[in-house]
Amino acid sequence: MLLPRTYMLALRATVSNSPISNVLEALRSAPSQTLQNLARVRYAHHQSEGRANGVKDGPGKRLGAKKTAGQYVIPGHIIFRQRGTKWFPGENCDMGRDHTIFAARAGYVQFYRDPLKHPKRQYIGVTFDRDDKLPYPPNAPRRRRLGMVATDSPSGPPAESIAASAAAEADMSGGNALVAAAAAQAHNSRGRDLMATGTVAREVPRRLGRKGGRSVSYLDRGEDGMPLAPNARTRGMYREANWEIGRAAEREGIKVKKWVPGDRWSAWRQRAKRRERAQQMSAMRSGGKKKGKGKKGRGKK
Amino acid sequence: MAALKTSSSRWLASSPVRRPIVLRTLTTTSSHRVDAEAGTPSAAAESQSVPPSGAKAPLDPRVLDPNIVTLPSMERKLRRAGIALPGSRRRRAVLKSAPHVPLEKMPYQCFQEARKVLLADREEKLEQIEAQRGKILRLLEQDPSVSGGELAKKTRLHSMRRYLEKLKVQADVNDPAVKKRFEDGEGDMNKPVYRFLADRKWHEYPRKIVMQRITQMNVVPDVLPHIDPIYEVNVAFGRRRIPPGDIVDSRISASPATLSIQPFDAGERLATIAVVDPDVPNVETDNFGSRCHYLATNVPLSPATGKVSLGRLSAETQVVLPWMPPFSQKGLQYQRLAVVVFEQRDGAPTDLERMRLSSPRDGLTMRQLMARFLLKPVGINMFRTVWDEGTEGVMRKAEIEGWDIEFQRKKIEPLPKKRRNLAKYR
């Protein structure tokens, strides 16, 4: 790549320095000059200015082991900070975004190698027992901890009471049993299941049948605002779909006035309203107390 | 060629407009075309001719064959007459154009030449089989001292028998009829060649899937220290086959599973079948235990057994622990259910009473079972279960305690803050 450039230089030099006025002659003599130029050596000069030669030794990143072998750790404790994977996460450990090794279970730290897993890697592990030796034998059952407690009361009231109350409600509201069934079902899916016999699931179908001549879909809501039929996407859970949430305003009949860019009158009115609201809010926040400092001067905005 | 000429001349006579084509029919390439063209109208007339005087007349099955009908109007007629049409229209069209020629008589020269080669090879293999059988018989009669001791004789017999089996497979494995029968699922598993083909097919993909699932989900080493499956085991509930490791609805798995167990070696043998859950929570020890959901022993298996319905095994002579519906309590992760098939030592029956006494449902591990009864795991599969809508009902129906328990994560106390040594900073 260097060749064309040196060629050009040589050409310019011959034209300016030699007495030959004919350009063609100069061109003819150029190749020999080029070869001469190629034989010359261009030394790298030293760029003394600029940030390339700045301080290379930045602040230390405090890398390295944060826990020693045998130390007790709980989940989330950082055991090793590193650049790249000097150490790999082993038993009950995990690796963060920047390759930091941290504990996934409470236990005692161990630094070890596992040639069966990988011949060259070094691992950090956490054992539940202080005396355990890592790696564990490959065919032994894994050592695990449950890490859970059994609570007696599952969330939500008992299913029977919901069904009974829903039925009572239905009687009062003129025998709308469908709504009651749906409400009970909705409660069940959130809390406990109604299925004492295991056959109820078949009795409450996905599509709840017809109500007053039209079929009930998951768009229809009961008195408590919950949908009557389960939403297919959420697998029977009574949650509104995102598109339904997006259409909430439409459903409520809320109309937003169209914004006209040049309409200064409505812009002024809106701004006035906003200020008023902001004042109210700040008054509420201060709880009626009067704070003199900087309060008065903030009126303009 | 004579027939061709007559047909073309007849055709020409009927359509004088196309006279210029006559010259071209003399070449062989276009003569085929003419023949085909001349042939189709008559064939179509034969197969699709309709009885005159409308659809009210009773259909003649000879005229309207439901296997080859392709015209929509004809299909409608058949349907109105209450005759079901097999397969798609495309399939029927193919059947119409493809006559049922047996595989051996396929009219392809290359195919027939290849068959000759294969037949010759088969003859050769059959001779070798005879020779090998003779050799084995002779060795059997031989005195052990002549053949280098009892052990050497036994080893030699074993390897000779293995070679005989190999020859039996090789004699038939290239036969197109055998291949077809195997691919149609009509292979007789009592024959070595079909067992060989089935084994190869199983090794190609389904076994790999099972091995992946049991290693990824740690069934090995949690349930068994090691396994090299040689039986294909598939789990089904009712008629629904479960892919290995699938999460099964608790209502579906409430009734006993049906296993299809396929050994690939000849002969009857006795097997022990166990379904075990290694993820039983134990709050006291803050650990996981094991529970046996099903245990049956002395189940006869052979290559042609097919399905073993766990609910139908004899309660008196085979079942040790009847089916308990798999369940996962609320708040827990999924529970793994390993389905393991064990081969009994020397095919000898297990002492059922002893197994009943020493196999409690709770806490029984497969390691214990293998050690106590000299069992060897030969087939494995697995599925999973989670707490779902049906679990509570299933547990109540089966009178299993714990349907009203919810598991929650135990809070881990943070370590006390280290107090700074203030003196150090002065």
Side-chain angles (χ1 to χ4, degrees):
Chain A
M1 285 314 289
L2 210 61
L3 187 61
R5 202 160 175 184
T6 42
Y7 182 85
M8 285 307 289
L9 281 170
L11 181 63
R12 212 177 296 145
T14 35
V15 169
S16 58
N17 295 343
S18 68
I20 304 168
S21 55
N22 193 347
V23 181
L24 280 173
E25 263 185 60
L27 275 174
R28 239 175 266 132
S29 63
S32 60
Q33 293 267 345
T34 319
L35 282 176
Q36 272 180 12
N37 279 353
L38 271 181
R40 258 183 244 152
V41 183
R42 290 182 68 185
Y43 293 105
H45 67 284
H46 184 77
Q47 176 86 39
S48 53
E49 283 178 28
R51 64 178 183 177
N53 300 309
V55 189
K56 288 199 183 74
D57 192 13
K61 297 296 178 209
R62 274 72 171 162
L63 304 175
K66 304 297 165 206
K67 301 281 174 214
T68 54
Q71 209 170 347
Y72 183 77
V73 288
I74 63 168
H77 270 187
I78 290 171
I79 304 171
F80 205 96
R81 278 201 180 280
Q82 56 186 343
R83 292 282 168 268
T85 47
K86 282 185 193 319
W87 292 88
F88 282 83
E91 201 80 15
N92 298 320
C93 277
D94 225 329
M95 190 156 67
R97 204 182 52 157
D98 61 347
H99 306 111
T100 296
I101 308 289
F102 61 94
R105 293 296 159 107
Y108 302 91
V109 177
Q110 251 184 59
F111 297 80
Y112 64 102
R113 279 182 189 275
D114 191 352
L116 287 175
K117 220 162 153 193
H118 197 280
K120 289 179 182 171
R121 288 181 181 174
Q122 40 189 9
Y123 295 92
I124 299 174
V126 166
T127 56
F128 298 121
D129 299 319
R130 193 193 282 272
D131 305 327
D132 275 0
K133 186 94 179 65
L134 289 174
Y136 291 128
N139 296 334
R142 291 176 303 156
R143 309 248 156 69
R144 297 184 285 162
R145 284 279 181 272
L146 178 63
M148 286 184 142
V149 285
T151 51
D152 264 345
S153 53
S155 48
E160 288 85 352
S161 69
I162 294 170
S165 67
E169 270 175 32
D171 286 341
M172 281 163 74
S173 65
N176 197 348
L178 188 68
V179 176
Q185 178 73 4
H187 278 289
N188 287 331
S189 67
R190 268 176 287 155
R192 283 166 31 140
D193 218 328
L194 186 63
M195 294 207 300
T197 54
T199 55
V200 183
R202 252 174 252 133
E203 286 166 15
V204 183
R206 204 165 188 76
R207 207 159 175 84
L208 290 176
R210 301 184 84 78
K211 173 196 170 191
R214 75 191 172 88
S215 72
V216 180
S217 82
Y218 51 85
L219 284 178
D220 300 319
R221 264 138 242 284
E223 278 153 22
D224 58 345
M226 296 307 289
L228 290 183
N231 179 351
R233 197 191 297 172
T234 49
R235 297 187 183 183
M237 294 285 285
Y238 286 82
R239 177 196 171 272
E240 278 183 313
N242 287 346
W243 66 269
E244 285 177 82
I245 295 169
R247 290 207 162 173
E250 196 182 304
R251 211 163 45 226
E252 294 297 318
I254 295 168
K255 288 240 168 73
V256 180
K257 224 176 178 182
K258 206 190 170 193
W259 174 255
V260 182
D263 188 0
R264 294 314 303 157
W265 166 244
S266 41
W268 178 79
R269 284 188 61 180
Q270 286 226 355
R271 196 170 51 180
K273 262 189 217 163
R274 198 163 56 226
R275 271 183 201 156
E276 203 181 335
R277 219 180 303 133
Q279 269 181 0
Q280 281 173 1
M281 292 301 287
S282 65
M284 270 169 65
R285 243 177 277 138
S286 61
K289 277 182 275 179
K290 295 231 166 180
K291 275 187 186 172
K293 211 179 178 186
K295 191 89 186 172
K296 292 255 168 78
R298 227 198 284 164
K300 207 197 297 175
K301 196 197 163 186
Chain B
M1 211 48 201
L4 187 82
K5 264 180 192 166
T6 51
S7 73
S8 61
S9 60
R10 212 188 305 141
W11 182 57
L12 287 172
S14 63
S15 60
V17 191
R18 292 193 178 181
R19 193 170 294 264
I21 301 172
V22 185
L23 294 173
R24 281 203 272 138
T25 54
L26 294 174
T27 64
T28 47
T29 45
S30 55
S31 70
H32 273 291
R33 189 173 59 88
V34 171
D35 194 22
E37 277 176 14
T40 38
S42 61
E46 255 176 83
S47 63
Q48 289 163 8
S49 64
V50 196
S53 75
K56 297 279 183 262
L59 290 163
D60 186 0
R62 282 169 304 172
V63 177
L64 268 178
D65 184 0
N67 288 315
I68 55 169
V69 161
T70 49
L71 282 179
S73 57
M74 302 300 137
E75 287 174 6
R76 235 174 287 135
K77 273 194 182 112
L78 281 172
R79 268 199 211 101
R80 264 183 226 136
I83 298 166
L85 298 166
S88 65
R89 187 178 296 156
R90 178 177 295 198
R91 184 189 142 92
R92 272 175 266 131
V94 170
L95 280 180
K96 189 164 79 178
S97 61
H100 284 290
V101 180
L103 211 56
E104 294 77 30
K105 290 179 182 165
M106 293 282 259
Y108 307 115
Q109 194 182 359
C110 182
F111 178 78
Q112 291 301 340
E113 292 300 321
R115 268 197 79 238
K116 275 179 205 159
V117 175
L118 291 178
L119 280 176
D121 178 61
R122 186 166 193 270
E123 286 305 313
E124 195 181 307
K125 288 284 167 0
L126 289 180
E127 277 168 26
Q128 285 178 9
I129 287 171
E130 278 311 304
Q132 187 69 11
R133 276 189 179 138
K135 276 186 198 170
I136 290 172
L137 280 179
R138 255 172 279 138
L139 185 64
L140 274 172
E141 285 160 10
Q142 205 176 44
D143 190 58
S145 59
V146 179
S147 44
E150 196 70 58
L151 187 68
K153 186 181 168 180
K154 209 176 156 189
T155 323
R156 221 172 129 216
L157 265 176
H158 180 72
S159 62
M160 281 170 93
R161 282 190 181 126
R162 224 174 46 199
Y163 182 58
L164 180 67
E165 285 303 305
K166 194 182 165 190
L167 283 176
K168 279 185 200 166
V169 170
Q170 279 181 349
D172 286 331
V173 76
N174 293 319
D175 187 349
V178 167
K179 282 182 117 121
K180 181 181 181 295
R181 235 168 283 144
F182 175 70
E183 281 166 23
D184 291 349
E186 292 161 2
D188 180 7
M189 281 299 168
N190 288 322
K191 289 182 177 156
V193 64
Y194 293 111
R195 285 201 304 270
F196 168 80
L197 289 172
D199 192 24
R200 194 168 66 180
K201 197 179 169 195
W202 177 57
H203 267 80
E204 267 165 14
Y205 197 61
R207 187 180 183 275
K208 287 188 175 122
I209 292 282
V210 171
M211 289 311 284
Q212 184 209 38
R213 302 294 147 86
I214 62 166
T215 47
Q216 277 189 344
M217 292 193 238
N218 293 302
V219 171
V220 173
D222 284 353
V223 177
L224 296 169
H226 173 77
I227 187 172
D228 181 20
I230 51 171
Y231 291 10
E232 182 174 4
V233 179
N234 282 312
V235 185
F237 287 100
R239 299 182 71 186
R240 196 177 146 233
R241 199 167 130 182
I242 305 297
D246 201 16
I247 292 177
V248 181
D249 191 297
S250 58
R251 282 164 289 196
I252 288 170
S253 61
S255 47
T258 305
L259 306 185
S260 59
I261 306 173
Q262 179 65 61
F264 297 106
D265 49 342
E268 282 261 329
R269 81 281 332 258
L270 291 175
T272 299
I273 301 169
V275 179
V276 67
D277 176 0
D279 296 325
V280 181
N282 190 339
V283 179
E284 281 82 53
T285 57
D286 191 21
N287 210 331
F288 292 92
S290 175
R291 187 198 301 123
C292 194
H293 279 258
Y294 184 83
L295 183 61
T297 190
N298 300 335
V299 183
L301 291 180
S302 76
T305 303
K307 291 198 167 66
V308 176
S309 198
L310 297 187
R312 290 202 192 136
L313 292 181
S314 158
E316 288 84 38
T317 57
Q318 288 171 322
V319 176
V320 180
L321 295 168
W323 183 263
M324 178 191 196
F327 61 90
S328 179
Q329 277 160 295
K330 198 172 184 184
L332 288 177
Q333 241 208 335
Y334 61 75
Q335 309 277 305
R336 297 164 291 166
L337 273 297
V339 181
V340 193
V341 177
F342 297 98
E343 211 173 54
Q344 290 167 209
R345 166 82 54 100
D346 302 327
T350 318
D351 184 356
L352 193 74
E353 283 311 310
R354 204 184 126 226
M355 195 177 252
R356 275 185 180 149
L357 283 175
S358 65
S359 303
R361 199 182 272 283
D362 290 320
L364 178 72
T365 65
M366 292 299 104
R367 286 177 165 85
Q368 292 167 351
L369 197 73
M370 280 157 66
R372 280 176 199 156
F373 296 97
L374 306 175
L375 302 172
K376 185 191 161 204
V378 284
I380 194 163
N381 208 316
M382 70 169 295
F383 62 95
R384 288 179 290 169
T385 185
V386 291
W387 170 269
D388 53 33
E389 302 98 74
T391 309
E392 188 188 322
V394 166
M395 287 174 80
R396 281 179 162 193
K397 203 174 178 186
E399 293 172 351
I400 302 166
E401 283 177 11
W403 55 268
D404 49 354
I405 285 177
E406 184 176 353
F407 282 87
Q408 281 170 353
R409 286 181 68 175
K410 198 196 277 176
K411 196 177 177 240
I412 296 161
E413 288 302 316
L415 296 184
K417 267 220 160 131
K418 222 190 244 172
R419 184 160 289 174
R420 260 190 198 157
N421 184 6
L422 291 174
K424 208 172 117 188
Y425 296 100
R426 267 185 200 138

